[in-house]
Amino acid sequence: MKYGLSSLSFVLVFINCHIFAEQLQSSSQANILSRIRNLLNYPNVLSNWNNDTDFCNTEPSSSVTVICYEDNITQLHIIGSKGAPQLHNFSIDSFVTTLVELPSLKVLRLVSLGLYGPLPSKLSRLSSLEILDLSSNFFHSNIPREISSLTSLQSLILDGNKFTGRLPNGLGSLVVLAVLSVKNNSLDGHLPDMLGSLHNLRVLSLSRNNFTGDVPDLSGVENLQVLDLEDNSLGPKFPQVSSKIQSIVLRNNKFTAGIPEKVQSYHQLEHMDISSNRFMGPFPPSLLSLPSITYLNVAGNKLTGMLFDDNQCNAGLDFVDLSTNLLSGRLPSCLLTGPKDRIVRYSNNCLATGGGTQHPFSFCRNEALAVGILPHHHKHIPGSKVVLALIICGSIIGGVVLVCATIIVVRKFLAKIATPRKTTRSIVENAASTYTSKLFTDANKHARGRLTWTQRIAAAIGVARGMQFLHTGNVPGVFSNNIKITDILLDQNFVAKICSYNLPILDEYVKEQKSTRANYEEKFVVYDFGVILLEIISGKQINTKNEVRVIQNQLQESIMSNAMSRKNMVDPAIRNSCSDESLKTMIEICCRCLEQDTEDMPSVEDVIWNLQFAAQVEDSWRKDSSSSDASPISHLYSFKPNLSRNSNSNNNSNGTSV
């Protein structure tokens, strides 16, 4: 009996202790919440909190919610008034020190409360956090890298603050992160590649910041549904995303490439806004008929192509804006006969529909040519390949016969001569090295002491046309050139001529054709020409590939910057005597020539069109500013090739005259 009473007494004591502990814990948590109210300067949304409030059993509202699990606070939502001013006499350090005394918190939302200061790294002590929303406050400085230690984090929302610096690379360790939103801040720099490793990410919202450069490859983020990059300086390539994407917003950036064909397979895409960029190339009409599309805005680009009456549209398409592009043809009838509340805009194109709101067809054609948007080259049918192969083989055989006959005659002649001789190759190379006739050393003879910007563009066009003739004007074309700036000479009229151009001797050329096909590749020549453009723009002699890459990166960054930044990158001799649009065009085509991926390189024809556009812009600018600079542009629109192996400095026989 005594034993039974003793056991019962023990149980009662245990229960009382447990109840007392819970009361202490509840009292402690209530005390923490009261301190939070005090540190927030008693906001109106917390006016109902007092010493008697049972926080774990209060009714949730749209402004304040406290949720407990087993008497531990796991969720805290405090939403202030929209546009709440910055708090006075507020200590962010004291505030966060108090918050971390709630270690069971899984959801923390502190929105529009006027919080300010750098976000303390000690916030990472809330190791159970799954959702963190600190939007619409006044936090500044860098996002602390310690936030990447919150490995349970599923949503990180920091919108509408004043954060600066770059996104922390450590965010890649947040493997369960589904929402990353940092809209409306002052973050900058390139986007980290780690974004491509966030395989559970569904929403990526980085709009209204100062991010630059290409978007990392996101095609491996298979669950990504929303990509919002509006109002940055990103580009030039269209972002790579998975086919599950539902919303793409790229508005007001610096994208210049074309719309990739893969976009036409985004069957879940509902919202697409790529307006106010410089996208070039054909507009795919199939975007209008994507099965889920409801909003499509491509306004303010350089998209080309023809639309037709019978192009199909999705019946659910509510908004379409095709305005201010280079589209021709007729507006699809499905856009004119759809629901009454559908909004369709298409002004400032060259469509037959729209009357006075459209340009003449010639306007769009000339604009497309000016920016180097050329028709796609059709692939040769197998029959034409056979004919071409026969022509090339015949030319090679004929060349071999001619070379053999020439060698026999030359050997007989040389046998009679006792003096030592040099090979044709070394003669050409030594002759070229005898002259210091680079673009810039020849220019020293000029009265301004250096070539003007106009003359440099003219020389570049001349070289490009010479290359074009060597590749397309001969059968077979000559590709194994390794052109350098030392191979370019100028006559007394500053007309560019290609000297030696490392033109292969016929017998050497035949061997090269048999040994490798790499020398045929036009892209290698385009890269060499890009190096020349780099030297023309910068005024610097470039000797290594590393120097090429460094200067190219600097020029690429200047494209995304302002006119002053671009002019600081060019040769000081012409820095203040060239138009920004002409300079930007030259820098863009130069950087495209130096792309590592040959698929992204322009053709020689593309290069010429862009250089001609730069020349036209510069000429117009000089006329408008009544400049007295020489303008050797009028001769650029006719081309008569004059090939010669003589590398003497005669003005009329000095390589390829252009």
Side-chain angles (χ1 to χ4, degrees), residues 59-113:
E59 286 295 320
S61 69
S62 59
S63 299
V64 181
T65 299
V66 178
I67 296 178
C68 301
Y69 178 74
E70 295 183 348
D71 295 318
N72 291 312
I73 297 177
T74 57
Q75 295 191 32
L76 177 60
H77 306 246
I78 307 177
I79 315 298
S81 302
K82 186 176 181 180
Q86 182 173 306
L87 291 174
H88 296 289
N89 300 321
F90 173 76
S91 170
I92 185 60
D93 188 71
S94 298
F95 182 75
V96 172
T97 299
T98 303
L99 271 177
V100 298
E101 294 181 35
L102 299 172
S104 299
L105 272 179
K106 292 181 179 295
V107 177
L108 178 61
R109 297 185 66 221
L110 303 172
V111 179
S112 295
L113 295 175

Side-chain angles (χ1 to χ4, degrees), residues 287-288 293-296 313-320 335 339 342:
L287 293 182
L288 298 168
I293 196 74
T294 60
Y295 184 103
L296 179 63
C313 306
N314 186 327
L317 196 56
D318 298 324
F319 181 94
V320 180
L335 292 178
R342 174 184 287 170

Side-chain angles (χ1 to χ4, degrees), residues 441-459:
T441 53
D442 257 5
N444 288 332
K445 300 175 183 177
H446 189 46
R448 287 178 182 84
R450 304 283 289 212
L451 288 182
T452 66
W453 180 242
T454 304
Q455 290 166 334
R456 296 185 192 207
I457 299 176

